Amino acid sequence: MKIERLNFRRGFHPSSLIPHPSKKFLLSLVVAGAFGVAAFFLIVPALVERHYNRTPHAPPYTASERARALHGKLFVADLHADTLLWDRDILEKSARGHVDVPRLVEGGVALQAFTIVTKAPRGLNNESNEGDTDNITPLIIAERWPARTWSSLTERALHQARRLEDAAARSGGRLVIIKTAGDLARFLEQRSRASETQAGATPQVAALLGVEGAHALDADLSNLDKLFDAGVRMMAPTHFFDNEWGGSAHGTRKGGLTEEGRELIRRMEAREMIVDLAHASHATIDDVLAMTTRPVVVSHTGVRGTCDNTRNLGDEQLKRIAATGGVIGIGFWETATCGTDAAAIARAIRHAANVVGARHVALGSDFDGTVTTPFDATGVVTVTDALLASGFNEDEIALIMGGNVLRVLSETLPR
């Protein structure tokens, strides 16, 4: 004790035995931390998307002269792309992912459904998923979404709807959001007029807004009105897990619609919203088809006739969906087609058309949906080529590539 008191008087303290970090060292720590934060926000989202949204071959993609000539005359529509989830300006051509407006124009795609993803469980698989975990939250934090979206799925949906509205407002007429049958008619008229004048015409792309899974309502049916007011015109009851509205094909229980789910379908039909049966369990599909009074769609799927798995639809389901006047969007990824090229897509389309007729088949790519597709949006012409090779005539191809989607939207969108 005496020695300690003496040393304190001479300016000594035991803590002086611990070396103090230099200012240079502290500055290095700050710089390293700042770099780590910057990397998280600026680099990580791009790396994640490059990993998940792939194409095995970079453009340009080859197709026959006949296919290119036909494709240039078609109205091409795709029922499913998850592009709004990713940290990109869809008005700028990107070297990653599958879809943006310049690539849609280059690929001859006239109408793209942009489908909102709000939640995806960890360990995502086709067979069995619980809904108590979420991979989307860290992604949207990294992408610097507003804090209100971190805890609310409805806010995540509204944020993506606002992103689409902002892009349309900045597009100079290149991107047009379709909310009513009148919007669609005006778009078709403008497109027809532009094709007649050609020179100086601004290529336009129409956008339809959908939602993957009614868990985006945050268990509150009144939020359906908020999504409708934000422009959502299509929604699936479920995505990769069972929720309060119904069972998923990839859930643990795989049940049908709940009572709340039945009320959801009634409300959607009253608002003239399209029910999307993608990812629905067999029981949910049965329950929706038993009560629906309007055409339904399956925005992205495969068929068991060419690729037999839980994700895809059987022939009886195809027939019952077609009986509503609806359409089945055939996906482009391997789980949907059991193949990795346009020929596999055409095989699935051929099977579906053999079962229900060409009038009820459409495209449902699942572009930007954490899948590998044979091509990006610039390569959709290869599907036209594969359909020609499969023996479809030009009228059938016109229906499949977009005419059927036009019909359903004209019949079902709000007046």
Side-chain angles (χ1 to χ4, degrees), residues 322-338:
T324 71
V327 293
I328 298 104
I330 299 299
F332 295 178
W333 75 104
E334 189 172 5
T335 304
T337 66
C338 285

Side-chain angles (χ1 to χ4, degrees), residues 343-395:
I345 299 168
R347 281 195 299 274
I349 290 173
R350 167 55 74 189
H351 178 85
N354 286 346
V355 174
V356 297
R359 183 176 166 80
H360 298 286
V361 190
L363 305 183
S365 67
D366 203 18
F367 279 148
D368 291 327
T370 65
V371 294
T372 297
T373 58
F375 43 79
D376 65 14
T378 65
V380 178
V381 65
T382 63
V383 178
T384 299
D385 208 1
L387 294 177
L388 285 170
S390 298
F392 286 101
N393 64 45
E394 293 190 2
D395 290 340

Side-chain angles (χ1 to χ4, degrees), residues 112-130:
Q112 179 65 64
F114 289 96
T115 40
I116 291 169
V117 176
T118 60
K119 185 175 179 179
R122 295 185 197 129
L124 192 70
N125 65 86
N126 278 323
E127 303 303 324
S128 181
N129 300 274
E130 292 281 2

Side-chain angles (χ1 to χ4, degrees), residues 159-182:
H159 177 72
Q160 291 178 67
R162 282 189 287 266
R163 289 188 65 192
L164 186 66
E165 288 280 1
D166 174 68
R170 293 185 292 107
S171 72
R174 289 184 296 154
L175 180 66
V176 178
I177 302 174
I178 302 299
K179 299 179 182 178
T180 67

